[in-house]
Amino acid sequence: MFSLKHSLSACLVLAYSHAVPALAADAAAGAEKAAMCAGCHGPNGKSSNSQWPNLAAQQPAYLAAQLKAFKSGARTNPMMQSMIGNLNDQDIENLAAYFAGQPAAKAGGDAALVKTGADKSGMCLGCHGAQAQGSAQIPRLAGQHPGYLVAQLKNFKEGTRQGGPMQSMASTLSDDDMKALAAYFGSL
């Protein structure tokens, strides 16, 4: 269950996400820049490798925020930092608009775990949306690679990835819980 502290953190994240002015994005310009992303994230943002997330249909504000975090070093990944080092804020907004406009991916998940994950998913859906579609700076989980989701949950739990209430939420999950939730969200 969310505590008052978690609820306040979530409200602050949402308030901040609505207070940040967005640049007018050009999805066509983003499509031109997206070629550099295809090697890992796949054509049209649909990755065939569970190590890298699907970007297709992801929330544009979330994508832009993550790219800016990689660029600033607030979120570390040497590959991502080298790939986006020369992008300006407009390029980032354009990429976010392009990927957000792509049809959603469906990664699938271990059928034996999907039911268990569905039963546990309520703890996630309050922030990530009833269909795990995300909103504003809350990421879409639906159709994401289960392996990627498990890795990110572990990173939140270990503290190597920071992010609002996610560290507290992940700290309550066992490895089996993470696998079941990831399977469920990948199946959506």
Side-chain angles (χ1 to χ4, degrees), residues 43-142:
N44 304 316
K46 295 179 182 173
S47 173
S48 61
N49 184 326
S50 66
Q51 182 179 355
W52 298 298
N54 286 319
L55 303 180
Q58 188 55 268
Q59 294 296 319
Y62 175 76
L63 286 172
Q66 296 310 301
L67 289 171
K68 290 174 183 177
F70 282 124
K71 185 172 180 174
S72 73
R75 187 169 173 197
T76 57
N77 179 298
M79 176 66 82
M80 284 298 298
Q81 289 163 315
S82 70
M83 293 298 292
I84 65 170
N86 292 324
L87 297 179
N88 60 38
D89 284 349
Q90 187 66 58
D91 293 333
I92 288 172
E93 295 296 330
N94 294 345
L95 276 168
Y98 168 72
F99 285 119
Q102 299 306 301
K106 188 168 183 177
D110 181 334
L113 295 175
V114 169
K115 170 74 170 105
T116 303
D119 293 343
K120 295 179 178 291
S121 68
M123 67 186 296
C124 307
L125 300 177
C127 292
H128 292 275
Q131 303 301 311
Q133 75 280 2
S135 67
Q137 291 201 24
I138 308 293
R140 173 186 186 86
L141 302 179

Side-chain angles (χ1 to χ4, degrees), residues 149-165:
L149 290 175
V150 168
Q152 296 312 303
L153 286 168
K154 286 182 179 183
N155 289 341
F156 280 120
K157 186 173 185 172
E158 294 164 359
T160 57
R161 182 167 178 193
Q162 307 288 311

